[in-house]
Amino acid sequence: MATAKVLFSILASLLVLEQALALATFDTDTVCIWGEDNCQIHGDNLTLILNQWSGITKWHFHMHIFLSSLCTVIFLAMHFFSGAAVKGTKEFLFGYVSKRIKLVPDNSAAVVTTYYASSPWVSTENDTHDEIDFEFLGNVTGEPYTIHTNIFVNGIGNKEEQFKSWFDPTSDYHNYTIFWSPYVVVWSIDDIVLRVFKNNKDKGIPFPKTRPMTVYSSIWNADDWACQGGQVKTNWTHQPFIARYLNYEDSVCLWTGTNSIQDCSAVTPENWYMAPQFRQLAPSQIDNMNDVRSYYMIYDYCSDTKRFNGAMPQECYLSPY
Ligand SMILES: *[C@@H]1O[C@H](CO)[C@@H](O)[C@H](O)[C@H]1NC(C)=O
Ligand SMILES: *[C@@H]1O[C@H](CO)[C@@H](O)[C@H](O)[C@H]1NC(C)=O
């Protein structure tokens, strides 16, 4: 598997696949689904705002996010603040999506900004959704953001990995990419891979392959949760909290019905992500990833033996790439 010739490179993919890269724009491919007044879409610019007193939180949206969180949820009374959320208009199975994001600057403690792909979330009782997450947990001025990643398959997550930001995500735009193929899911920032999740379905590990996803972005207030023992509070004197997004790009296999499960997994030139060079990371990418992981990783579910009572998820014993 680890033959040196293999070249998975998102950078190369961008060059090679320029035609395949549909220039999605926020304007044409995104709709606001929460906090109308707090979503601003201008061409390929998207601004999401969190402020106080402008609206009422919506339960279902918080419930969705809560699954993605490590924190225990304790809802307090109704809060009169509003964040915002947008949803892509395309449903797809596999491909590449990227957005450039500039996160909330200064004191952003308890403010969470997200960018994730998810299949429809049908019900709490019988949740079978798939999801690939980036979440950015704000911090007090001068302290690093936490970059939180997770993956859900058939409604089950519990695969969190967190990183300290190794750059200032608030002073400039950075490119956040999700790559998803039947072989692998790859999270990267500015072409540096920080995480891979390989398809080990043959070893009994679930992998998302049949449910179409849509891309979401949102900003919301997390201080009504018992994160970090509940001491982290949003400092509303700093409102409005503003996250900016630019350059929504994608190259995806559009979902046209259950036939897409086969069509999007077929090895054809249109399904560029099926090509051998996208099945595995290049050695230089692995080196960069290992550097980032050794210096900036702050949580790895595979190291959390206490949480799993020593019965670690099976993929923790397998090579991640
Ligand atoms: C989008 O944002 C960029 C960078 O902040 C800015 O230069 C540009 O004028 C904005 N475009 C629109 C249509 O708002
Ligand atoms: C905020 O910064 C502190 C100190 O560096 C760190 O321990 C903590 O995990 C950070 N919190 C978040 C939510 O990123």
Side-chain angles (χ1 to χ4, degrees), residues 271-318:
N271 295 346
W272 59 271
Y273 48 82
M274 296 299 287
Q277 69 265 35
F278 298 111
R279 294 183 194 178
Q280 220 180 318
L281 302 182
S284 64
Q285 286 179 305
I286 293 176
D287 287 349
N288 287 339
M289 177 174 79
N290 287 340
D291 278 353
V292 163
R293 294 171 71 83
S294 58
Y295 293 115
Y296 298 100
M297 196 172 201
I298 52 177
Y299 180 82
D300 180 2
Y301 73 107
C302 277
S303 306
D304 199 342
T305 48
K306 228 195 232 160
R307 174 182 179 189
F308 295 101
N309 248 324
M312 305 310 288
Q314 213 189 327
E315 68 273 13
C316 297
Y317 298 106
L318 301 170

Side-chain angles (χ1 to χ4, degrees), residues 227-239:
C227 279
Q228 299 179 358
Q231 346 81 328
V232 185
K233 289 286 169 213
T234 307
N235 187 335
W236 291 106
T237 61
H238 292 265
Q239 73 149 325

